[in-house]
Amino acid sequence: MPVERALKVISGRWKPIILYYVFSGPKRLSELKRMMPAITQKVLIQQLREMEEHGLVARQIFAEVPARVEYSATELGLGLEPVLLALCQWGQRHAEARNEAGEVADCIVRPRRDTAPRVFSDAHRAL
């Protein structure tokens, strides 16, 4: 089923968080590691490679010394942005219903560098 395929591609503790950070623009490995101090570098690289294999992120290697590598969301990966936002908002509602709202962060969508800020409709709430 398509939903099973989608969940397989984004499953894991770190993939949605990594995607969240690369939605706002290209990031170096060291930047991502600083943004997620609890992830090991081995797991971060593994998750990035898996997402690259699935076409969600692209890796760009710059011919510099030392070599610079940046990861960015692909068009396919950017298509997950509203899905992950909807999941985040559902998670907030679930936490509120369970009286655990203080334990979850806000769903903040940062604008990409090359576009104007995005506005999301509330159409996903009907799901």
Side-chain angles (χ1 to χ4, degrees):
M1 288 185 62
V3 72
E4 190 175 23
R5 181 183 186 95
L7 289 173
K8 181 180 178 185
V9 169
I10 63 169
S11 68
R13 177 178 177 190
W14 297 105
K15 286 180 186 176
I17 298 166
I18 295 167
L19 284 170
Y20 168 79
Y21 287 120
V22 298
F23 284 157
S24 63
K27 300 287 184 288
R28 296 178 75 167
L29 185 69
S30 58
E31 285 180 275
L32 290 168
K33 180 68 179 100
R34 273 193 306 275
M35 294 170 168
M36 298 174 288
I39 190 173
T40 66
Q41 186 155 331
K42 177 185 173 185
V43 171
L44 176 58
I45 291 168
Q46 177 185 12
Q47 298 285 279
L48 285 164
R49 285 185 181 155
E50 287 176 16
M51 289 190 294
E52 187 178 9
E53 286 175 20
H54 288 289
L56 303 181
V57 298
R59 179 176 51 153
Q60 184 174 7
I61 303 169
F62 295 87
E64 300 174 357
V65 177
R68 178 169 54 112
V69 178
E70 288 184 346
Y71 294 90
S72 57
T74 63
E75 189 173 330
L76 189 60
L78 288 170
L80 286 169
E81 192 170 32
V83 174
L84 292 178
L85 177 63
L87 281 172
C88 185
Q89 291 170 335
W90 183 89
Q92 286 178 319
R93 288 191 305 275
H94 182 264
E96 289 168 7
R98 309 275 304 155
N99 294 320
E100 299 167 351
E103 299 175 23
V104 296
D106 289 332
C107 298
I108 299 169
V109 178
R110 297 182 179 147
R112 286 179 230 128
R113 293 179 191 160
D114 59 339
T115 62
R118 292 164 321 270
V119 177
F120 291 95
S121 71
D122 287 340
H124 64 275
R125 292 188 187 267
L127 298 175

